[in-house]
mmCIF file of all heavy atoms in Angstrom:
data_model
loop_
_atom_site.group_PDB
_atom_site.id
_atom_site.type_symbol
_atom_site.label_atom_id
_atom_site.label_comp_id
_atom_site.label_asym_id
_atom_site.label_seq_id
_atom_site.Cartn_x
_atom_site.Cartn_y
_atom_site.Cartn_z
ATOM 1 N N THR R 14 -86.386 104.595 -88.618
ATOM 2 C CA THR R 14 -85.517 105.243 -87.629
ATOM 3 C C THR R 14 -84.451 106.065 -88.389
ATOM 4 O O THR R 14 -83.895 105.511 -89.339
ATOM 5 C CB THR R 14 -84.871 104.215 -86.709
ATOM 6 O OG1 THR R 14 -85.921 103.365 -86.164
ATOM 7 C CG2 THR R 14 -84.040 104.833 -85.703
ATOM 8 N N ILE R 15 -84.317 107.272 -87.974
ATOM 9 C CA ILE R 15 -83.248 108.106 -88.512
ATOM 10 C C ILE R 15 -82.519 108.815 -87.390
ATOM 11 O O ILE R 15 -83.105 108.980 -86.308
ATOM 12 C CB ILE R 15 -83.842 109.161 -89.508
ATOM 13 C CG1 ILE R 15 -84.821 110.108 -88.848
ATOM 14 C CG2 ILE R 15 -84.547 108.448 -90.707
ATOM 15 C CD1 ILE R 15 -85.333 111.286 -89.704
ATOM 16 N N PRO R 16 -81.287 109.299 -87.683
ATOM 17 C CA PRO R 16 -80.630 110.077 -86.610
ATOM 18 C C PRO R 16 -81.323 111.345 -86.304
ATOM 19 O O PRO R 16 -81.828 112.049 -87.250
ATOM 20 C CB PRO R 16 -79.219 110.324 -87.297
ATOM 21 C CG PRO R 16 -79.187 109.446 -88.399
ATOM 22 C CD PRO R 16 -80.484 109.118 -88.873
ATOM 23 N N ALA R 17 -81.380 111.714 -85.096
ATOM 24 C CA ALA R 17 -82.021 112.967 -84.723
ATOM 25 C C ALA R 17 -81.242 114.188 -85.298
ATOM 26 O O ALA R 17 -79.994 114.066 -85.518
ATOM 27 C CB ALA R 17 -82.106 113.144 -83.185
ATOM 28 N N LEU R 18 -81.892 115.243 -85.400
ATOM 29 C CA LEU R 18 -81.263 116.501 -85.913
ATOM 30 C C LEU R 18 -80.066 116.857 -85.027
ATOM 31 O O LEU R 18 -79.033 117.199 -85.627
ATOM 32 C CB LEU R 18 -82.234 117.653 -85.872
ATOM 33 C CG LEU R 18 -81.647 118.997 -86.408
ATOM 34 C CD1 LEU R 18 -82.010 119.118 -87.909
ATOM 35 C CD2 LEU R 18 -82.229 120.103 -85.594
ATOM 36 N N GLY R 19 -80.157 116.681 -83.733
ATOM 37 C CA GLY R 19 -79.061 117.098 -82.903
ATOM 38 C C GLY R 19 -77.856 116.245 -83.116
ATOM 39 O O GLY R 19 -76.678 116.865 -83.120
ATOM 40 N N ILE R 20 -77.952 115.076 -83.376
ATOM 41 C CA ILE R 20 -76.794 114.188 -83.642
ATOM 42 C C ILE R 20 -76.132 114.518 -84.970
ATOM 43 O O ILE R 20 -74.972 114.545 -85.150
ATOM 44 C CB ILE R 20 -77.135 112.672 -83.544
ATOM 45 C CG1 ILE R 20 -75.815 111.802 -83.443
ATOM 46 C CG2 ILE R 20 -77.991 112.114 -84.552
ATOM 47 C CD1 ILE R 20 -75.216 111.752 -82.075
ATOM 48 N N ALA R 21 -77.013 114.802 -85.959
ATOM 49 C CA ALA R 21 -76.567 115.114 -87.253
ATOM 50 C C ALA R 21 -75.758 116.444 -87.125
ATOM 51 O O ALA R 21 -74.602 116.599 -87.750
ATOM 52 C CB ALA R 21 -77.641 115.288 -88.262
ATOM 53 N N PHE R 22 -76.238 117.476 -86.415
ATOM 54 C CA PHE R 22 -75.579 118.656 -86.240
ATOM 55 C C PHE R 22 -74.376 118.573 -85.420
ATOM 56 O O PHE R 22 -73.220 119.036 -85.740
ATOM 57 C CB PHE R 22 -76.578 119.665 -85.480
ATOM 58 C CG PHE R 22 -76.001 120.955 -85.145
ATOM 59 C CD1 PHE R 22 -75.540 121.834 -86.276
ATOM 60 C CD2 PHE R 22 -75.902 121.500 -83.928
ATOM 61 C CE1 PHE R 22 -75.073 123.048 -86.060
ATOM 62 C CE2 PHE R 22 -75.423 122.740 -83.711
ATOM 63 C CZ PHE R 22 -74.984 123.601 -84.768
ATOM 64 N N LEU R 23 -74.359 117.840 -84.303
ATOM 65 C CA LEU R 23 -73.212 117.662 -83.492
ATOM 66 C C LEU R 23 -72.098 116.868 -84.095
ATOM 67 O O LEU R 23 -70.950 117.390 -84.107
ATOM 68 C CB LEU R 23 -73.606 116.909 -82.092
ATOM 69 C CG LEU R 23 -72.525 116.690 -81.119
ATOM 70 C CD1 LEU R 23 -72.169 118.024 -80.500
ATOM 71 C CD2 LEU R 23 -72.943 115.745 -80.061
ATOM 72 N N LEU R 24 -72.354 115.708 -84.639
ATOM 73 C CA LEU R 24 -71.292 114.896 -85.135
ATOM 74 C C LEU R 24 -71.010 115.275 -86.635
ATOM 75 O O LEU R 24 -69.881 115.081 -87.057
ATOM 76 C CB LEU R 24 -71.620 113.450 -84.970
ATOM 77 C CG LEU R 24 -71.802 112.942 -83.631
ATOM 78 C CD1 LEU R 24 -72.089 111.468 -83.682
ATOM 79 C CD2 LEU R 24 -70.471 113.188 -82.834
ATOM 80 N N GLY R 25 -71.944 115.746 -87.374
ATOM 81 C CA GLY R 25 -71.760 116.071 -88.774
ATOM 82 C C GLY R 25 -71.048 117.306 -89.042
ATOM 83 O O GLY R 25 -70.428 117.591 -90.060
ATOM 84 N N ALA R 26 -71.149 118.259 -88.020
ATOM 85 C CA ALA R 26 -70.548 119.650 -88.317
ATOM 86 C C ALA R 26 -69.779 120.082 -87.115
ATOM 87 O O ALA R 26 -68.602 120.372 -87.083
ATOM 88 C CB ALA R 26 -71.652 120.650 -88.575
ATOM 89 N N LEU R 27 -70.410 120.254 -85.898
ATOM 90 C CA LEU R 27 -69.728 120.801 -84.809
ATOM 91 C C LEU R 27 -68.436 120.122 -84.353
ATOM 92 O O LEU R 27 -67.424 120.791 -84.101
ATOM 93 C CB LEU R 27 -70.665 121.015 -83.625
ATOM 94 C CG LEU R 27 -71.752 121.949 -83.720
ATOM 95 C CD1 LEU R 27 -72.566 121.916 -82.440
ATOM 96 C CD2 LEU R 27 -71.330 123.312 -84.096
ATOM 97 N N LEU R 28 -68.447 118.850 -84.262
ATOM 98 C CA LEU R 28 -67.348 118.119 -83.874
ATOM 99 C C LEU R 28 -66.648 117.341 -84.958
ATOM 100 O O LEU R 28 -65.831 116.529 -84.707
ATOM 101 C CB LEU R 28 -67.768 117.088 -82.745
ATOM 102 C CG LEU R 28 -68.558 117.771 -81.612
ATOM 103 C CD1 LEU R 28 -68.919 116.625 -80.550
ATOM 104 C CD2 LEU R 28 -67.720 118.774 -80.918
ATOM 105 N N ASN R 29 -66.922 117.719 -86.170
ATOM 106 C CA ASN R 29 -66.316 117.117 -87.326
ATOM 107 C C ASN R 29 -65.119 117.955 -87.775
ATOM 108 O O ASN R 29 -65.296 119.035 -88.334
ATOM 109 C CB ASN R 29 -67.367 116.991 -88.464
ATOM 110 C CG ASN R 29 -66.847 116.215 -89.608
ATOM 111 O OD1 ASN R 29 -65.688 116.384 -90.059
ATOM 112 N ND2 ASN R 29 -67.707 115.351 -90.096
ATOM 113 N N GLU R 30 -63.983 117.396 -87.592
ATOM 114 C CA GLU R 30 -62.735 118.138 -87.852
ATOM 115 C C GLU R 30 -62.591 118.482 -89.306
ATOM 116 O O GLU R 30 -62.203 119.542 -89.647
ATOM 117 C CB GLU R 30 -61.495 117.339 -87.281
ATOM 118 C CG GLU R 30 -61.389 117.266 -85.828
ATOM 119 C CD GLU R 30 -60.269 116.452 -85.345
ATOM 120 O OE1 GLU R 30 -59.274 116.319 -86.051
ATOM 121 O OE2 GLU R 30 -60.251 116.056 -84.222
ATOM 122 N N LYS R 31 -62.973 117.548 -90.147
ATOM 123 C CA LYS R 31 -62.891 117.845 -91.693
ATOM 124 C C LYS R 31 -63.827 118.949 -92.001
ATOM 125 O O LYS R 31 -63.500 119.876 -92.764
ATOM 126 C CB LYS R 31 -63.256 116.596 -92.513
ATOM 127 C CG LYS R 31 -62.153 115.587 -92.400
ATOM 128 C CD LYS R 31 -62.485 114.294 -93.241
ATOM 129 C CE LYS R 31 -61.411 113.300 -93.259
ATOM 130 N NZ LYS R 31 -61.610 112.145 -94.088
ATOM 131 N N TYR R 32 -65.060 118.970 -91.433
ATOM 132 C CA TYR R 32 -65.962 120.029 -91.775
ATOM 133 C C TYR R 32 -65.436 121.371 -91.218
ATOM 134 O O TYR R 32 -65.507 122.358 -91.858
ATOM 135 C CB TYR R 32 -67.407 119.755 -91.218
ATOM 136 C CG TYR R 32 -68.272 120.943 -91.415
ATOM 137 C CD1 TYR R 32 -68.955 120.952 -92.652
ATOM 138 C CD2 TYR R 32 -68.468 121.923 -90.470
ATOM 139 C CE1 TYR R 32 -69.761 122.118 -92.980
ATOM 140 C CE2 TYR R 32 -69.302 122.992 -90.770
ATOM 141 C CZ TYR R 32 -69.972 123.057 -92.068
ATOM 142 O OH TYR R 32 -70.755 124.155 -92.335
ATOM 143 N N ASN R 33 -64.973 121.332 -89.951
ATOM 144 C CA ASN R 33 -64.438 122.641 -89.484
ATOM 145 C C ASN R 33 -63.218 123.138 -90.174
ATOM 146 O O ASN R 33 -62.999 124.409 -90.087
ATOM 147 C CB ASN R 33 -64.184 122.362 -87.901
ATOM 148 C CG ASN R 33 -65.495 122.279 -87.197
ATOM 149 O OD1 ASN R 33 -66.286 123.244 -87.302
ATOM 150 N ND2 ASN R 33 -65.770 121.213 -86.488
ATOM 151 N N GLN R 34 -62.456 122.293 -90.747
ATOM 152 C CA GLN R 34 -61.323 122.748 -91.555
ATOM 153 C C GLN R 34 -61.849 123.443 -92.845
ATOM 154 O O GLN R 34 -61.185 124.373 -93.375
ATOM 155 C CB GLN R 34 -60.331 121.671 -91.905
ATOM 156 C CG GLN R 34 -59.578 121.100 -90.729
ATOM 157 C CD GLN R 34 -58.824 119.796 -90.980
ATOM 158 O OE1 GLN R 34 -58.927 119.273 -92.126
ATOM 159 N NE2 GLN R 34 -58.247 119.259 -89.983
ATOM 160 N N HIS R 35 -62.941 122.971 -93.351
ATOM 161 C CA HIS R 35 -63.393 123.555 -94.655
ATOM 162 C C HIS R 35 -65.003 123.686 -94.555
ATOM 163 O O HIS R 35 -65.601 122.873 -95.249
ATOM 164 C CB HIS R 35 -63.106 122.665 -95.848
ATOM 165 C CG HIS R 35 -61.597 122.378 -95.999
ATOM 166 N ND1 HIS R 35 -60.677 123.344 -96.409
ATOM 167 C CD2 HIS R 35 -60.832 121.303 -95.656
ATOM 168 C CE1 HIS R 35 -59.557 122.897 -96.428
ATOM 169 N NE2 HIS R 35 -59.534 121.696 -95.906
ATOM 170 N N PRO R 36 -65.455 124.544 -93.751
ATOM 171 C CA PRO R 36 -66.878 124.690 -93.557
ATOM 172 C C PRO R 36 -67.627 125.085 -94.813
ATOM 173 O O PRO R 36 -67.082 125.955 -95.534
ATOM 174 C CB PRO R 36 -67.047 125.702 -92.413
ATOM 175 C CG PRO R 36 -65.728 126.504 -92.379
ATOM 176 C CD PRO R 36 -64.716 125.615 -92.923
ATOM 177 N N THR R 37 -68.774 124.449 -94.987
ATOM 178 C CA THR R 37 -69.516 124.920 -96.121
ATOM 179 C C THR R 37 -70.394 126.114 -95.849
ATOM 180 O O THR R 37 -70.739 126.895 -96.789
ATOM 181 C CB THR R 37 -70.553 123.678 -96.429
ATOM 182 O OG1 THR R 37 -69.816 122.494 -96.627
ATOM 183 C CG2 THR R 37 -71.296 123.885 -97.746
ATOM 184 N N TYR R 38 -70.755 126.354 -94.654
ATOM 185 C CA TYR R 38 -71.568 127.469 -94.254
ATOM 186 C C TYR R 38 -70.774 128.545 -93.589
ATOM 187 O O TYR R 38 -69.848 128.238 -92.884
ATOM 188 C CB TYR R 38 -72.693 126.931 -93.322
ATOM 189 C CG TYR R 38 -73.766 126.186 -94.035
ATOM 190 C CD1 TYR R 38 -73.516 124.758 -94.149
ATOM 191 C CD2 TYR R 38 -74.874 126.708 -94.511
ATOM 192 C CE1 TYR R 38 -74.441 123.986 -94.794
ATOM 193 C CE2 TYR R 38 -75.795 125.855 -95.183
ATOM 194 C CZ TYR R 38 -75.627 124.590 -95.352
ATOM 195 O OH TYR R 38 -76.526 123.709 -95.907
ATOM 196 N N GLU R 39 -71.159 129.814 -93.769
ATOM 197 C CA GLU R 39 -70.460 130.912 -93.155
ATOM 198 C C GLU R 39 -70.695 131.045 -91.631
ATOM 199 O O GLU R 39 -69.947 131.445 -90.916
ATOM 200 C CB GLU R 39 -70.821 132.206 -93.885
ATOM 201 C CG GLU R 39 -70.300 132.277 -95.230
ATOM 202 C CD GLU R 39 -70.501 133.669 -95.909
ATOM 203 O OE1 GLU R 39 -70.579 134.657 -95.174
ATOM 204 O OE2 GLU R 39 -70.607 133.720 -97.023
ATOM 205 N N THR R 40 -72.018 130.524 -91.260
ATOM 206 C CA THR R 40 -72.357 130.678 -89.858
ATOM 207 C C THR R 40 -72.981 129.384 -89.394
ATOM 208 O O THR R 40 -73.593 128.604 -90.297
ATOM 209 C CB THR R 40 -73.313 131.806 -89.562
ATOM 210 O OG1 THR R 40 -74.561 131.523 -90.213
ATOM 211 C CG2 THR R 40 -72.729 133.138 -90.106
ATOM 212 N N ILE R 41 -73.059 129.145 -88.106
ATOM 213 C CA ILE R 41 -73.754 128.027 -87.567
ATOM 214 C C ILE R 41 -75.237 128.165 -87.712
ATOM 215 O O ILE R 41 -75.863 127.158 -88.075
ATOM 216 C CB ILE R 41 -73.429 127.880 -86.038
ATOM 217 C CG1 ILE R 41 -71.961 127.349 -85.861
ATOM 218 C CG2 ILE R 41 -74.377 126.912 -85.345
ATOM 219 C CD1 ILE R 41 -71.443 127.235 -84.464
ATOM 220 N N ASP R 42 -75.725 129.337 -87.716
ATOM 221 C CA ASP R 42 -77.127 129.583 -87.861
ATOM 222 C C ASP R 42 -77.630 129.184 -89.326
ATOM 223 O O ASP R 42 -78.677 128.603 -89.447
ATOM 224 C CB ASP R 42 -77.472 131.087 -87.644
ATOM 225 C CG ASP R 42 -77.389 131.486 -86.177
ATOM 226 O OD1 ASP R 42 -77.514 130.536 -85.305
ATOM 227 O OD2 ASP R 42 -77.255 132.639 -85.893
ATOM 228 N N ALA R 43 -76.795 129.542 -90.259
ATOM 229 C CA ALA R 43 -77.140 129.138 -91.652
ATOM 230 C C ALA R 43 -77.125 127.633 -91.771
ATOM 231 O O ALA R 43 -78.077 127.057 -92.538
ATOM 232 C CB ALA R 43 -76.143 129.809 -92.634
#
Side-chain angles (χ1 to χ4, degrees):
T14 302
I15 63 173
L18 179 98
I20 194 80
F22 180 61
L23 182 69
L24 298 181
L27 291 183
L28 304 180
N29 186 316
E30 291 178 19
K31 287 184 180 180
Y32 178 82
N33 286 304
Q34 290 171 1
H35 305 284
T37 306
Y38 291 86
E39 290 186 28
T40 67
I41 288 176
D42 289 339

